[in-house]
Amino acid sequence: MENYDHGMEGQDQPPHRGHNGPPFKKPRGDGMNNGSVMDHFLERSDEKIPPSHILLITVINPKYPINVEVIFKVCTIIGKVKKIVCFERMNVTQSMVEFETLESASKARTSLHGCDIYNNCCTMKVEYSKLQTLNVRENNAMNWNFEEGADQEGKRPVILNSPDYSNYGSFPGPNIGGNVGGGIGGGNMGVLNIAGMQNMANKMGNNMGIGDIGMGALQPMGYNGYGMGPLEERSCVILVYGLEPPKWNCDRLFNLICQYGNVNKIFFMKNKPNTAMVEMGVVDGVDNVTRNLHDIEAFGEKLRFDVSKKHMRIVNPPLEFTMTDGTSSVKEYFSERNLNRFVTPDMARKNRIIHPSKVLHFFNLSKVTETDLANLFRQQGASIPKQIKFVPAKADAKLQGVGLCYFDTVEEATEALILVNHCVLEKRNIKLCYSPARY
């Protein structure tokens, strides 16, 4: 991503404030313990920058995550948005927004400056950007190009799971509030329903300001994958204990957890040995992990999974260090579409949530032999399966290497999954998960 430098070095960061409620203009010095801090934050530094259709939005006290959808909902009521890039620089949350017209950008700069996205937090400073063009390399949760033809229909990456993956049925779409009414989407949509937002923007046109529709009941976004809705006061972060090195690293922990939901980030804590923090894509992933892995044992240790009471998301970059095995203590998996298994509704439906068992299901392989599989487990230091059973694939299937591996104990199967999952065999990454099959 481009380095968007707008002179944020040394900026004061006040303590957190409350939440809930619509965005509103922030009076000077209310509830901040130090009004001069807010005044200082809201001092613009763009007086010498010519008016531009690209704005820089800096968010102070971001108690809730700031991403494309949040910024889109805030900005599209002013005018048509072409591109959004969200990022963090020196622990400061910022977004670049390109409007279709200079008039819309100027109106947004005036109307949104000093507003709270949510009540008593996420205060915005809105300035003209130095940039002449805003580049979006790929569409995802933090970047999006809304221009027609920028992304082919049907090829947009899906950020979060469909409700189908946990069979929860349909949920109502979001409601932006004010006089807009309705919602952007319905039950079968993830949090980032960009197409729905784009349609809404087209209907609204370019000349609507805050006064026309009101900021209404803009609420913190829910990460349940069923539309935006009000934020559930639930964390997507799990603390994992019992990860004694050198058996564990980020990838091995991912190998275990990825069966239960998309994983965004993993980092091991330097000040708490044998402990890691995992950010799941949605709260249902947290539920799946804690419900199914609460009694799991591996490498002679019983693991413990606790939902974080402090963090809703991992926002600030953790201290990175080198693990005992030479790997990094920090790794992001958000963009790992080939590793995360609930990226699209179709993928999600194929992944059943299974309690740990003595049988592992393997797939994603070309045609291999039992000897090939046994050697792979041996090379990775895992127990060799007591029995390997191939499941006949469809005659036209590209990947014929599908089957079951049987072990003597659940712990053996778990360790094998941790060590072997996603290893390369015949130029393919083997994928493993627990199976409900019995001997």
Side-chain angles (χ1 to χ4, degrees):
M1 180 183 289
E2 291 78 2
N3 184 13
Y4 301 109
D5 187 353
H6 289 267
M8 294 304 301
E9 294 87 345
Q11 180 158 297
D12 292 315
Q13 306 218 17
H16 286 302
R17 291 144 59 196
H19 61 281
N20 295 329
F24 59 93
K25 212 69 168 177
K26 173 57 57 187
R28 299 297 183 265
D30 66 324
M32 285 303 300
N33 297 327
N34 184 355
S36 63
V37 174
M38 180 58 71
D39 290 337
H40 174 68
F41 168 72
L42 291 175
E43 289 178 2
R44 291 171 169 149
S45 57
D46 64 345
E47 286 77 8
K48 297 182 180 180
I49 300 176
S52 169
H53 62 297
I54 301 176
L55 298 181
L56 170 68
I57 300 177
T58 304
V59 180
I60 194 171
N61 187 22
K63 184 171 183 179
Y64 300 104
I66 303 299
N67 59 21
V68 165
E69 190 167 25
V70 172
I71 297 301
F72 185 93
K73 287 176 69 177
V74 168
C75 293
T76 198
I77 63 174
I78 305 297
K80 188 172 182 179
V81 174
K82 294 175 66 176
K83 300 173 185 176
I84 295 175
V85 174
C86 303
F87 57 98
E88 282 192 11
R89 185 174 183 277
M90 299 183 69
N91 293 333
V92 177
T93 299
Q94 296 181 293
S95 298
M96 306 289 295
V97 180
E98 180 177 338
F99 285 88
E100 187 172 59
T101 66
L102 177 60
E103 180 185 0
S104 295
S106 299
K107 187 184 295 185
R109 179 180 179 272
T110 301
S111 301
L112 299 179
H113 181 70
C115 288
D116 285 353
I117 297 177
Y118 306 117
N119 188 24
N120 283 332
C121 67
C122 302
T123 305
M124 294 181 289
K125 176 167 72 173
V126 185
E127 305 171 280
Y128 289 123
S129 169
K130 299 176 184 177
L131 298 180
Q132 299 299 314
T133 59
L134 186 59
N135 296 322
V136 176
R137 296 178 181 175
E138 64 175 0
N139 289 345
N140 55 42
M142 305 303 286
N143 313 275
W144 206 278
N145 185 345
F146 295 91
E147 293 184 288
E148 186 176 355
D151 203 357
Q152 296 181 19
E153 183 68 20
K155 292 189 176 180
R156 291 174 179 152
V158 177
I159 307 302
L160 294 177
N161 304 327
S162 160
D164 291 341
Y165 102 94
S166 286
N167 298 317
Y168 279 88
S170 296
F171 285 71
N175 191 325
I176 258 189
N179 298 322
V180 177
I184 298 173
N188 291 327
M189 85 171 186
V191 165
L192 291 187
N193 186 14
I194 301 298
M197 293 194 296
Q198 221 161 359
N199 292 336
M200 180 191 70
N202 292 335
K203 292 179 181 178
M204 292 169 64
N206 296 337
N207 299 317
M208 301 184 73
I210 290 179
D212 297 318
I213 64 173
M215 291 297 280
L218 181 61
Q219 297 291 332
M221 287 166 41
Y223 283 86
N224 50 18
Y226 309 130
M228 290 174 289
L231 177 71
E232 293 182 64
E233 290 293 338
R234 299 175 60 195
S235 172
C236 284
V237 179
I238 306 171
L239 288 162
V240 188
Y241 303 92
L243 307 174
E244 188 174 347
K247 293 291 186 182
W248 289 96
N249 57 32
C250 292
D251 284 339
R252 289 180 176 177
L253 184 54
F254 175 87
N255 287 346
L256 176 65
I257 291 178
C258 68
Q259 308 169 81
Y260 300 105
N262 290 337
V263 178
N264 287 350
K265 309 172 187 176
I266 295 178
F267 77 85
F268 280 75
M269 306 174 71
K270 191 173 181 65
N271 59 342
K272 291 185 179 180
N274 307 344
T275 305
M277 293 184 75
V278 180
E279 180 185 304
M280 303 297 292
V282 294
V283 293
D284 295 283
V286 175
D287 292 341
N288 291 336
V289 170
T290 54
R291 183 172 59 247
N292 289 280
L293 297 180
H294 65 92
D295 56 352
I296 198 71
E297 291 188 19
F299 309 118
E301 294 284 340
K302 184 170 182 178
L303 306 186
R304 195 174 101 224
F305 298 83
D306 292 341
V307 180
S308 175
K309 297 179 180 178
K310 181 178 180 182
H311 302 281
M312 301 294 288
R313 293 271 168 178
I314 300 174
V315 178
N316 296 321
L319 177 65
E320 186 174 2
F321 61 94
T322 301
M323 303 277 287
T324 305
D325 65 350
T327 62
S328 172
S329 63
V330 178
K331 189 162 183 178
E332 294 200 3
Y333 296 89
F334 180 83
S335 60
E336 296 287 354
R337 293 175 59 83
N338 292 327
L339 295 180
N340 273 315
R341 301 181 182 185
F342 298 81
V343 177
T344 68
D346 186 54
M347 290 173 63
R349 280 190 292 268
K350 294 177 181 178
N351 286 276
R352 299 173 62 187
I353 306 301
I354 304 295
H355 196 77
S357 70
K358 295 189 287 186
V359 184
L360 297 181
H361 171 54
F362 65 86
F363 58 102
N364 199 51
L365 293 177
S366 55
K367 197 167 185 178
V368 295
T369 66
E370 289 187 25
T371 302
D372 293 332
L373 280 170
N375 287 337
L376 177 64
F377 282 86
R378 182 184 296 108
Q379 291 165 5
Q380 299 303 319
S383 298
I384 299 174
K386 183 177 181 180
Q387 180 184 354
I388 296 174
K389 179 180 178 181
F390 285 91
V391 176
K394 294 181 180 179
D396 59 345
K398 295 180 180 180
L399 301 177
Q400 296 287 326
V402 179
L404 302 171
C405 292
Y406 296 82
F407 295 85
D408 287 327
T409 66
V410 174
E411 186 171 355
E412 279 189 2
T414 298
E415 292 171 1
L417 185 148
I418 293 165
L419 296 171
V420 181
N421 202 5
H422 302 115
C423 287
V424 177
L425 180 60
E426 297 294 330
K427 299 181 180 180
R428 300 287 306 181
N429 292 97
I430 185 173
K431 293 193 176 182
L432 299 170
C433 61
Y434 293 116
S435 169
R438 300 181 182 276
Y439 279 94

